[in-house]
Amino acid sequence: MGGMIETLLRGNRKFRGEYAADERDFLERLASGGQSPDALYIGCSDSRVVPELLTSSSPGELFVLRNIANLVPVFNDPDSSVGAAIEYAVVHLHVPHIIVCGHYGCGGVKAALEGLDKERGLPSLFEWLSEVRAAAENVDPALEPETRWRRAVEESVVFQLGNLPTYPAVASALAAGKLRLHGWVYDLHTCSLSVYDVNKHAFVPASALIPGA
Ligand SMILES: [Zn+2]
């Protein structure tokens, strides 16, 4: 067996011996009681952006969908996996919040900014990332590359938020006042979150929004 796979399996043994042992009653209640998560979290597949870690969340709290560059294609896209997660979370689980969380340093956004020509030999990736292009085109091409990349990450989160209400399940929950949408960006260096402020049309530090931060 490969060394890495053995490490992962040993990791599960460690998890059972430590976290799962300490939280035995909580995990048993979750296992038999079913899930009732507080939010649908749509984030990037990037291995460095781990939703439960960066929000100190426990099992059962976040219903998570991760894909390359945290995209939400418009309703009726041929890829139904995002729509399936949205419909399940909103209609069956009644989540009161949907969070779209991007991150600075996102390779998917960078590839879209650079024109995707490198990905032509990878048809699925090419097709998927073409969803980022519209957001990338909204960013001033005269900006210095690093700033342009950061702006494109932010702009893409705003775009995905805008696509959410194209799903009838989201539109009706919003109209009923049962759902709120949130745009976040995570910074890999500082480990902090920025939050989209609709009125300012800008991302503000999360620390500005929480008492005692
Ligand atoms: Zn990413």
Side-chain angles (χ1 to χ4, degrees):
M1 189 166 19
M4 183 57 206
I5 294 303
E6 197 178 312
T7 302
L8 293 174
L9 296 177
R10 283 185 197 285
N12 176 252
R13 191 160 66 192
K14 180 172 169 352
F15 169 74
R16 282 185 288 129
E18 296 174 8
Y19 181 88
D22 291 346
E23 300 290 343
R24 174 152 199 84
D25 293 348
F26 166 66
L27 293 173
E28 185 48 44
R29 275 199 308 278
L30 266 186
S32 31
Q35 63 173 329
S36 180
D38 303 315
L40 165 61
Y41 168 103
I42 301 173
C44 187
S45 299
D46 193 303
S47 58
R48 301 166 296 177
V49 188
V50 184
E52 290 83 359
L53 270 181
L54 70 93
T55 56
S56 300
S57 293
S58 299
E61 292 179 346
L62 293 178
F63 191 78
V64 172
L65 174 75
R66 290 170 76 179
N67 61 41
I68 293 197
N70 45 272
L71 300 181
V72 180
V74 290
F75 179 63
N76 267 341
D77 187 87
D79 181 302
S80 58
S81 76
V82 176
I86 290 171
E87 289 172 0
Y88 189 76
V90 172
V91 178
H92 287 319
L93 300 176
H94 309 286
V95 293
H97 301 281
I98 300 179
I99 299 156
V100 176
C101 185
H103 66 100
Y104 298 122
C106 185
V109 171
K110 188 173 199 196
L113 270 180
E114 289 174 351
L116 293 182
D117 284 341
K118 276 190 297 195
E119 314 301 348
R120 281 203 189 272
L122 303 172
S124 299
L125 191 59
F126 180 83
E127 177 68 26
W128 183 250
L129 286 177
S130 64
E131 295 278 341
V132 189
R133 229 186 276 144
E137 281 164 7
N138 259 18
V139 178
D140 183 355
L143 287 171
E144 173 276 313
E146 188 70 24
T147 309
R148 187 161 165 256
W149 189 7
R150 289 175 72 90
R151 287 297 91 75
V153 163
E154 295 171 351
E155 198 60 36
S156 177
V157 168
V158 175
F159 246 77
Q160 313 316 318
L161 285 179
N163 286 349
L164 279 170
T166 64
Y167 291 81
V170 171
S172 53
L174 285 173
K178 291 177 177 166
L179 181 64
R180 290 180 61 194
L181 309 182
H182 310 268
W184 293 358
V185 174
Y186 178 70
D187 187 311
L188 294 168
H189 296 284
T190 64
C191 304
S192 58
L193 288 166
S194 297
V195 175
Y196 181 60
D197 182 324
V198 184
N199 300 318
K200 293 182 180 158
H201 188 65
F203 283 79
V204 298
S207 56
L209 306 176
I210 44 178

